[in-house]
Amino acid sequence: MNLETLIEQARQLDELDPLAGFREEFHRPVLQGKEVLYFTGNSLGLMPRNVPEYLRQVTDDWARLGVEGHFYAKHPWLAYHELFPSLLTPLLGSLESETVVMNQLTVNLHLLMVSFYRPTGTRFKILCEGRAFSSDQYAMESQVRFHGLDPDLAIVEVFPREGEYVIRQEDLLNKIQEEGDALALVLLGGVNYYTGQLFDMREITRVGHEVGAVVGFDLAHAIGNVPLQLHDWQVDFATWCSYKYLNSGPGGVSGVFIHETHHQSDLPRFNGWWGYRKEDRFQMAKGFIPIESAEAWQLSNAPVLSMAAHHAALDVFQRAGIDRLHAKREQMASLMIYGLEELSRLHPERFVVLTPHAMHERGCQTSIFFETGGRIIFNELEHAGVITDWRDPGVIRVAPVPLYNRFQDIADLIIHLDRALKN
Ligand SMILES: Cc1ncc(COP(=O)(O)O)c(C=O)c1O
C-alpha cells in the first residue's frame, strides 16, 4: 500500500486546515497513559473544554439566587431554551420559530407522532428504512398499536436490494409512490445509523407530499454532520439528539423542528404548561393557549443543567462555522475512502465499505463490514488505543469529526487496520 502518500497527504491537509485549532478546545480521552485515536463522535462527541464554565455559571447562579435564578441568572432559566434557536438554525436550515430544544430523542419521536401520525381507515401506513434504529422501530410499533393497528400491516420497511448494502434512493421513492394514499407518514433516519447512508431528504419529502403523506426525519446522525435545509425542503417535522456530533454530553437534551405551516394548525398535541402562551402562562388558567411556534410542543420547564452543556458545545460550533466544517468533513471522507481503497487492494475481499462514497450520500461516518473476523479486528484496534464502534453482525463504524479529529488520525487508523488485517 502506498502508505507514504496517505501520510504525506494527511500531513499537508493538517497543515492547511483552518479549523485545526479547534481540536484544542476538546478533552481527548487517555487510556492507560496514552491518548486514544477517537473515531466515535457518531456515538458520543468529545467534551468541549468550555462545558464546566457554562455549568458552573448555572450552579453559581443557583447557589447565589435560588429560585430567583429564573429571572436574574446570567441567562435567566425561564428563557434558557430561547438561547438555542439562533444557534441551531444554521445547522438545520430552519427558521428560529421552527426549532425548540426539549426532552430526549425517543420522547420527542413519540410526541411528534402524536401530532403527525394520524391514521385513518385507508391511510394508515408508516414507511421507514429497514434496520431503522431500534428505538425508532419501537416508537413506531407502539404508536401503531396505540391506534389499534397491526405493525405488520402498518409499517412498511424498505431494504437494500439482494446483494447490496444500502437502500437505493429510487427504491425508496418508488415505494412511497406505490403505497400512495395508504401512506400516512414517511419517517426515516436522515443518516442511517448502521450504514452511514445519507438520504435525499428534499426528494423524499417532495414525493411523500405528492402522495399526501406527512414526512419527518430522525436527525440523530445528521445534525452537526451533513447540510440540512429543513425549512426549504418543506420537511414537516424532525428531531435529533445532541450527544453525537453536537458534543453536548451523555444523554444530552434533544430538539425538534416543526415546519411553520403547522404552527397554527389544529393538529392534536400533548400539552404542558411550557407550551402555553408566555404572556399569561403563570395565571395557571384552565384551557390551553399555545405559543404560536414550535415552542407549543414543550411540556416542561427547561432542564437547565444539561442545556448548559449544550450551550457550551453550540458556542464552539458557531465559532467554527458550519460551512467550514462541511468542507473539512468532505476532505476527511475523501482521505478515508482513499485509505480504505488502498487497504482493500492489499487485503482483497476481507471487508466491504457499506457507506456510499458520493459526498451527497454520506457524512462523517464510514461503516466497514467484515464477513468474518471483524470482532477480532475491532478488539485489536481497541487494544492499540483506536476507539471505534462495533455493530453486530460485523460492522466497525468510524467517524472522524472535523471539529476535533486530524487528517493524521485517519492515516493512523488505516495503518492500524493494515496491521490488524495482517495478523
Ligand atoms: C438514530 C437514533 N434514534 C434514536 C436514538 C435513541 O436516542 P435516545 O436514547 O436519546 O432517545 C438513537 C441513539 O443513539 C439513535 O442513534
Side-chain angles (χ1 to χ4, degrees):
M1 176 169 62
N2 197 346
L3 271 185
E4 282 70 34
T5 313
L6 185 73
I7 293 165
E8 179 52 25
Q9 269 187 16
R11 195 191 58 73
Q12 284 177 15
L13 286 162
D14 278 324
E15 232 171 67
L16 295 172
D17 176 12
L19 297 174
F22 280 93
R23 176 176 170 81
E24 298 311 320
E25 297 204 24
F26 290 84
H27 285 280
R28 300 194 298 274
V30 172
L31 283 183
Q32 287 158 355
K34 192 172 148 230
E35 188 179 313
V36 301
L37 280 175
Y38 196 77
F39 287 103
T40 42
N42 59 318
S43 182
L44 184 77
L46 290 181
M47 178 177 153
R49 288 185 190 274
N50 62 353
V51 165
E53 175 196 328
Y54 280 65
L55 286 173
R56 206 172 308 115
Q57 182 68 55
V58 175
T59 52
D60 284 355
D61 288 340
W62 181 14
R64 201 167 49 85
L65 297 165
V67 72
E68 297 291 308
H70 283 102
F71 310 102
Y72 304 116
K74 180 172 180 204
H75 299 293
W77 306 331
L78 199 64
Y80 204 90
H81 61 279
E82 292 172 18
L83 294 167
F84 297 110
S86 67
L87 295 168
L88 286 169
T89 48
L91 311 188
L92 293 163
S94 68
L95 306 180
E96 290 191 15
S97 65
E98 291 172 324
T99 303
V100 64
V101 166
M102 60 184 203
N103 306 325
Q104 303 293 107
L105 170 49
T106 309
V107 173
N108 284 336
L109 274 172
H110 276 296
L111 291 176
L112 290 166
M113 278 194 271
V114 163
S115 294
F116 291 103
Y117 176 52
R118 305 297 306 152
T120 66
T122 52
R123 190 186 279 281
F124 62 94
K125 293 190 183 178
I126 304 179
L127 184 139
C128 62
E129 82 261 45
R131 295 199 67 118
F133 192 86
S134 59
S135 204
D136 299 38
Q137 294 183 39
Y138 309 147
M140 287 185 271
E141 283 168 14
S142 53
Q143 286 281 333
V144 163
R145 287 209 179 88
F146 182 71
H147 287 282
L149 299 167
D150 176 356
D152 288 342
L153 299 177
I155 297 179
V156 180
E157 295 173 286
V158 182
F159 285 93
R161 292 186 190 181
E162 189 70 31
E164 297 185 6
Y165 296 100
V166 293
I167 302 168
R168 291 199 196 186
Q169 177 76 15
E170 72 214 63
D171 290 354
L172 261 178
L173 300 179
N174 288 341
K175 196 70 185 168
I176 293 172
Q177 274 160 342
E178 194 185 307
E179 293 295 341
D181 52 18
L183 209 53
L185 174 64
V186 176
L187 180 55
L188 294 166
V191 173
N192 179 263
Y193 83 98
Y194 181 72
T195 62
Q197 179 182 16
L198 163 62
F199 294 111
D200 184 343
M201 289 178 249
R202 181 212 305 251
E203 195 56 9
I204 290 165
T205 307
R206 190 186 67 73
V207 176
H209 285 170
E210 225 168 61
V211 304
V214 174
V215 182
F217 293 98
D218 174 342
L219 300 177
H221 291 263
I223 190 165
N225 177 15
V226 296
L228 298 168
Q229 288 299 332
L230 301 182
H231 177 83
D232 288 350
W233 297 343
Q234 305 284 326
V235 169
D236 293 295
F237 70 91
T239 181
W240 54 87
C241 56
S242 63
Y243 42 82
K244 298 179 187 294
Y245 297 101
L246 298 188
N247 311 314
S248 302
V253 65
S254 168
V256 303
F257 163 89
I258 295 163
H259 200 281
E260 68 170 347
T261 51
H262 300 299
H263 292 178
Q264 288 175 52
S265 64
D266 52 4
L267 285 173
R269 184 180 48 226
F270 285 174
N271 293 327
W273 72 323
W274 228 247
Y276 192 96
R277 189 172 65 184
K278 288 178 200 174
E279 304 89 272
D280 45 6
R281 177 190 284 154
F282 286 93
Q283 291 185 6
M284 318 299 240
K286 205 170 166 61
F288 182 78
I289 304 174
I291 303 168
E292 290 181 356
S293 74
E295 282 192 63
W297 273 259
Q298 295 173 114
L299 299 182
S300 299
N301 74 98
V304 173
L305 281 167
S306 80
M307 283 185 172
H310 194 33
H311 190 199
L314 291 179
D315 166 65
V316 182
F317 254 90
Q318 192 184 34
R319 284 183 289 109
I322 193 68
D323 292 336
R324 289 199 299 174
L325 290 167
H326 288 318
K328 181 171 174 186
R329 169 181 51 76
E330 293 199 356
Q331 287 179 313
M332 291 188 123
S334 299
L335 193 71
M336 179 73 82
I337 291 165
Y338 169 73
L340 288 170
E341 277 174 351
E342 289 297 302
L343 211 54
S344 83
R345 262 192 277 284
L346 204 70
H347 306 277
E349 292 177 23
R350 291 289 301 281
F351 63 88
V352 178
V353 175
L354 305 187
T355 314
H357 286 187
M359 292 303 157
H360 65 279
E361 290 183 279
R362 60 166 297 136
C364 293
Q365 180 181 325
T366 301
S367 299
I368 310 165
F369 175 65
F370 296 83
E371 190 77 57
T372 55
R375 187 85 212 190
I376 299 169
I377 305 273
F378 170 78
N379 290 342
E380 282 201 28
L381 289 176
E382 194 168 34
H383 193 68
V386 185
I387 306 302
T388 65
D389 159 300
W390 174 258
R391 288 284 150 174
D392 282 331
V395 168
I396 294 178
R397 302 186 300 175
V398 289
V401 168
L403 267 176
Y404 49 76
N405 280 110
R406 294 167 306 178
F407 292 94
Q408 189 197 318
D409 296 347
I410 298 170
D412 288 346
L413 170 72
I414 299 294
I415 292 163
H416 280 289
L417 270 171
D418 180 41
R419 235 176 254 154
L421 283 160
K422 274 183 189 141
N423 287 342

